[in-house]
């Protein structure tokens, strides 16, 4: 193997093996952080198997047919795993989205093994699997739309929003890399996985970081000073916005708050960052969490998920993330502590 191929082999395989480790990590933390992580672990595991097959086949065309068949078949669970992870808050039946495909692919492997029906696999079965993968990517978009709306309205994204958007985007890019491999190179899919793996890994570090990043916000405003008139206006009118509980609207934005205060959104954002050392998202979520605490204490017959929506959160995951970040407990743990 020449030096260039050695480098390609190393980098294309590096992400796949690290992906296997990450899949194990997410499966281990699923009991503590939430069962949705099982689907994330499955997603990464299936992609890693597919990538490992690609790498070894690219550098060894005489690879065992059984190994090739396993690598191709793994893709049948990539789309469903993404969809089940992104849509987890909706409590969708995971068996419906996995069992039928496993049965079909299992029968195909038995009745039409890759070793005897290579052309059938390359011309029909693999294309069908990639089509199914794309359909699930499109189906997952409906749960990404609220994040897109936040971006359009220039709201600050929560870490969970960034995380889910990144996962969906990465899966689409990997699908695109494999879908266009016939026109580029077969190794592109594996290389794209390695590259995107490390981008997502950085997001994990960012998501788990408990240190607020205000330095950049303050840099932006360092040459601007809020007028005393605007400070007075904010301090007089902001309590009214809170008293009317406008934060209970999940679509309540910085723009809307600024209009209520009759100032520009830039001035309000600067005030929150400089005077309260908070982003608008954090400021609003703190009041939502206080509302949720009251509901958790007084409405024991309500589900935790319902209380999250009633408190102004747009999803169960954003509610749990914000509650844990602000209180150090999950909503269920807080509720049990009140009863005891």
């Amino acid at each position: 193997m020449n030096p260039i191929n050695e480098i390609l082999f190393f980098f294309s395989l590096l992400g796949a093996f690290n992906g296997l480790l990450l899949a194990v990590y997410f499966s281990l933390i699923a009991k503590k952080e939430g069962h949705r992580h099982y689907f994330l672990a499955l997603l990464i595991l299936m992609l890693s198997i597919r990538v490992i097959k690609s790498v070894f086949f690219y550098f060894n065309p005489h690879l065992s047919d059984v190994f090739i068949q396993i690598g191709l078949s793994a893709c049948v669970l990539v789309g469903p795993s993404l969809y089940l992870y992104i849509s987890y808050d909706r409590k969708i039946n995971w068996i419906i989205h996995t069992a039928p495909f496993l049965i079909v692919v299992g029968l195909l492997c038995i009745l039409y093994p890759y070793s005897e029906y290579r052309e059938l696999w390359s011309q029909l079965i693999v294309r069908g699997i990639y089509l199914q993968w794309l359909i699930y990517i499109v189906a997952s978009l409906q749960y990404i739309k609220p994040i897109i709306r936040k971006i359009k309205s220039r709201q600050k994204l929560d870490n969970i929003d960034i995380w889910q958007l990144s996962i969906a985007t990465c899966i689409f890019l990997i699908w695109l890399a494999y879908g266009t491999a016939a026109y580029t190179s077969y190794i592109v899919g594996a290389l794209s996985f390695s590259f995107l793996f490390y981008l997502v890994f950085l997001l994990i570090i960012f998501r788990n970081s408990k240190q607020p990043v205000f330095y950049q916000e303050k840099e932006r405003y360092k040459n601007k000073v809020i007028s005393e008139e605007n400070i007075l206006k904010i301090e007089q009118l902001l309590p009214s916005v809170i008293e009317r509980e406008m934060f209970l609207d999940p679509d309540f934005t910085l723009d809307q708050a600024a209009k209520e205060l009759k100032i520009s959104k830039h001035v309000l954002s600067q005030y929150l960052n400089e005077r309260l050392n908070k982003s608008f998202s954090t400021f609003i979520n703190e009041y939502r969490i206080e509302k949720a605490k009251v509901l958790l204490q007084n409405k024991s017959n309500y589900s935790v998920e319902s209380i999250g929506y009633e408190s102004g959160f747009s999803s169960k995951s954003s509610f749990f993330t914000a509650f844990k970040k602000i209180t150090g407990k999950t909503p269920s743990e807080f509720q049990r502590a009140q009863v005891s």
Side-chain angles (χ1 to χ4, degrees), residues 68 72 112 114 117-130 182 186:
I68 294 174
L72 293 173
Y112 303 98
Y114 180 83
Y117 297 90
R118 294 189 183 188
E119 188 173 346
L120 176 65
W121 275 80
S122 60
Q123 296 297 323
L124 185 62
I125 297 175
V126 172
R127 290 183 180 181
I129 290 173
Y130 283 166
Y186 193 70

Side-chain angles (χ1 to χ4, degrees), residues 62-163:
H62 304 293
L63 188 67
S64 168
D65 290 334
V66 173
F67 191 58
I68 294 174
Q69 183 171 279
I70 292 172
L72 293 173
S73 301
C75 290
V76 79
L77 288 180
V78 173
S81 298
L82 170 68
Y83 179 74
L84 291 168
Y85 175 71
I86 296 292
S87 65
Y88 185 78
D89 293 340
R90 273 64 181 183
K91 297 181 179 179
I92 294 171
N93 190 333
W94 63 272
I95 296 177
I96 295 174
H97 294 276
T98 54
F101 297 119
L102 288 174
I103 293 170
V104 170
V105 128
L107 289 173
L108 287 173
C109 290
I110 295 170
L111 300 175
Y112 303 98
Y114 180 83
S115 58
E116 299 177 25
Y117 297 90
R118 294 189 183 188
E119 188 173 346
L120 176 65
W121 275 80
S122 60
Q123 296 297 323
L124 185 62
I125 297 175
V126 172
R127 290 183 180 181
I129 290 173
Y130 283 166
L131 177 60
Q132 176 246 30
W133 184 348
L134 178 61
I135 290 171
Y136 270 103
I137 291 174
V138 174
S140 300
L141 290 179
Q142 62 180 304
Y143 303 107
I144 301 295
K145 284 181 180 179
I147 302 174
I148 303 299
R149 285 198 294 268
K150 280 188 177 182
I151 294 173
K152 287 182 177 179
S153 62
R154 297 183 180 180
Q155 292 185 58
K156 184 178 177 65
L157 297 181
D158 296 328
N159 286 345
I160 187 65
D161 295 331
I162 298 172
W163 173 247

Side-chain angles (χ1 to χ4, degrees), residues 233-245 261:
K233 187 181 294 185
I234 293 171
E235 292 177 347
Q236 286 178 340
L237 299 179
L238 189 57
S240 173
V241 172
I242 302 304
E243 286 172 10
R244 286 183 285 158
E245 296 188 328
L261 302 178

Side-chain angles (χ1 to χ4, degrees), residues 2 8-9 34 51 57 65 68 73 78 167 169 174 182 193 206 210 213:
N2 62 52
L8 278 176
F9 182 80
V51 169
F57 181 72
D65 290 334
I68 294 174
S73 301
V78 173
I167 291 291
T169 303
I174 293 169
F193 178 82
F206 167 70
K210 300 191 176 186
V213 183

Side-chain angles (χ1 to χ4, degrees), residues 20-32 34 37-42:
L20 292 176
L21 295 176
L22 194 60
V24 173
Y25 166 75
F26 279 120
S27 64
L28 291 176
I29 69 167
K31 289 184 179 180
K32 180 180 178 182
H37 287 86
Y38 284 127
F39 299 121
L40 183 57
L42 182 63

